Amino acid sequence: MKKATKKEIQAIKEILIQNYDNAVTELKYKNLYELLISVILSAQCTDKRVNLITPKLFETYPDVSSLAMADLDEVKQIIKSCSFFNNKAKNIIQMAKSVMEHFEGEIPLDEKKLISLAGVGQKTAHVVMIEYSQANLMAVDTHVFRVAHRLGLSKSETAIKTEVDLTKAFKDNLHILHQAMVLFGRYVCTAKNPKCDDCILNAYCKSKEGFKAR
């Protein structure tokens, strides 16, 4: 599959920004605490499912301090319809405990500090920082990965390397482009039966037959 040229990359960038300049996450949250929990729960789980789970979770544990004191079995019960709920329940409680112990109860908006928390990897940290503070970062989920490869923006086989490729290709406005590629991949450039006839980037697609998302 051919890689996109610099001219094509610039055109793709402009089209995405023009069409998705106000794009934000579809996760529902009111503050940084709720955003971080939602993003952690969304790993290998749909935003729609997370949004069904979190109202009860946030009602029961409205802040970091209450979650740090939470009963593990109760948290598991609340989030049991979420994938990998056992590990996620342990992680969000441990995350809250760490925030209370090491960050005076304030969730840090620093990449290294965020990654030090249980359940928070690079992608999760980036998604939180992109959404909450419009950080010039890229995060690669299954949708972004698929779109990046179909458009020839990356040939890398891992999400981390694809993130590097996209960051080098786009350079700025990464917070907009991340959200744009998520929504574009979720609703237009889907894994199965992509809506090619309605695609605003059809002219730049390098894989008209489709690309299997990893």
Side-chain angles (χ1 to χ4, degrees):
M1 200 182 309
K2 293 182 180 179
K3 288 201 71 174
T5 64
K6 288 184 178 180
K7 185 177 181 179
E8 288 174 329
I9 290 170
Q10 185 60 32
I12 291 167
K13 180 178 179 179
E14 291 176 359
I15 291 169
L16 286 173
I17 291 174
Q18 181 180 355
N19 285 272
Y20 293 93
D21 62 327
N22 294 316
V24 294
T25 182
E26 293 186 316
L27 293 169
K28 296 179 181 178
Y29 70 96
K30 296 177 181 176
N31 50 49
L32 180 56
Y33 163 72
E34 292 188 0
L35 174 62
L36 178 57
I37 297 294
S38 297
V39 176
I40 291 173
L41 295 181
S42 71
Q44 295 181 288
C45 185
T46 65
D47 288 1
K48 184 177 180 180
R49 170 57 53 187
V50 173
N51 289 336
L52 292 174
I53 293 168
T54 50
K56 176 64 175 177
L57 181 66
F58 297 149
E59 178 184 356
T60 308
Y61 306 106
D63 50 34
V64 173
S65 59
S66 58
L67 184 60
M69 301 295 290
D71 178 76
L72 177 59
D73 288 335
E74 186 174 21
V75 174
K76 286 182 180 180
Q77 183 63 28
I78 294 172
I79 70 168
K80 65 181 181 180
S81 64
C82 186
S83 57
F84 306 104
F85 71 93
N86 284 312
N87 284 335
K88 288 178 180 178
K90 294 176 184 177
N91 283 338
I92 62 174
I93 293 174
Q94 184 56 51
M95 177 278 295
K97 289 180 178 178
S98 296
V99 170
M100 294 301 296
E101 181 178 353
H102 301 295
F103 302 109
E104 301 180 346
E106 297 290 332
I107 294 170
L109 268 178
D110 173 88
E111 182 176 351
K112 290 184 178 180
K113 291 178 181 178
L114 276 172
I115 292 174
S116 75
L117 301 174
V120 181
Q122 180 172 305
K123 187 187 80 172
T124 296
H126 283 197
V127 170
V128 169
M129 294 174 70
I130 288 166
E131 173 66 20
Y132 201 77
S133 60
Q134 292 76 55
N136 190 48
L137 296 168
M138 178 58 65
V140 176
D141 65 1
T142 184
H143 303 299
V144 176
F145 186 93
R146 180 172 62 252
V147 171
H149 286 76
R150 285 180 175 171
L151 292 174
L153 299 171
S154 175
K155 290 186 176 182
S156 297
E157 296 187 356
T158 67
I160 294 296
K161 290 182 179 179
T162 299
E163 177 192 305
V164 172
D165 291 340
L166 290 173
T167 301
K168 287 181 178 178
F170 290 140
K171 296 182 177 60
D172 54 25
N173 289 302
L174 298 182
H175 65 290
I176 298 174
L177 292 161
H178 161 73
Q179 301 286 21
M181 292 177 76
V182 170
L183 296 178
F184 180 69
R186 183 174 291 165
Y187 297 111
V188 181
C189 193
T190 51
K192 295 181 180 179
N193 303 314
K195 299 174 178 63
C196 299
D197 291 341
D198 299 323
C199 178
I200 56 176
L201 295 172
N202 199 10
Y204 305 99
C205 183
K206 307 298 183 184
S207 180
K208 296 297 178 65
E209 73 279 3
F211 180 90
K212 290 185 178 179
R214 296 169 186 266

